[in-house]
Amino acid sequence: MALDELKSALPDYAKDLKLNLGSVIGNSELPQQTLWGTVLACAIASRSPRVLRELEPEARANLKPEAYTAAKSAAAVMAMNNVFYRTRHLLSDPEYGSLRAGLRMNVIGNPGVDRTDFELWSLAVSAVNGCGQCLDSHEQVLRKAGVDRETVQEAFKIAAVIQAVGTTLDAEAVLAE
């Protein structure tokens, strides 16, 4: 199982990550599609080849083709949106906020899966990419749809752990060279 491979690859000093990886994925109460879409989107967002190689096959096996594509779409569109909206937010000139974005993001309107899953995946990717404006926007949509705070937090816990595992494994790979 990919989870076991990742956990065994982590160094002893990252024992907390081993435990957290097992709990946020292995013991998650999220429905399978929600869980594995979050895992796949976050693995892509982590930019860690090792994490993506290990988790993608299991995500593919646990997702219907349209959910697999939608999770990848969430990672792709949020990679763009997180940079754009984070930058616009960080600029001290508020006039940028009134300008039309002019970027295509049609997949958000029609992701091919349940809207709340796509929003949760987008929120998780936004957590990895650190876009506060996107986090607020997706969290508000989820809460209005009736998603509880515990579910929202579960998504960004998955994001945090996958990102940390990727960072640690990539650092160890560089140090081993």
Side-chain angles (χ1 to χ4, degrees), residues 47-125:
R47 297 177 187 87
S48 171
R50 174 89 187 257
V51 166
L52 184 56
R53 263 194 312 273
E54 295 292 342
L55 293 176
E56 184 277 338
E58 197 158 347
R60 184 187 293 266
N62 282 285
L63 292 169
K64 294 179 181 173
E66 59 273 10
Y68 176 83
T69 299
K72 293 194 317 182
S73 296
V77 76
M78 295 318 296
M80 174 185 69
N81 284 357
N82 292 157
V83 171
F84 179 82
Y85 288 104
R86 182 179 62 235
T87 301
R88 194 156 81 169
H89 175 75
L90 290 172
L91 287 169
S92 60
D93 184 348
E95 292 300 314
Y96 287 101
S98 65
L99 299 176
R100 183 178 166 282
L103 297 171
R104 294 197 181 269
M105 44 190 105
N106 295 329
V107 71
I108 293 173
N110 186 17
V113 294
D114 181 78
R115 182 84 177 168
T116 57
D117 280 346
F118 192 82
E119 288 289 335
L120 201 67
W121 302 339
S122 296
L123 178 131
V125 170

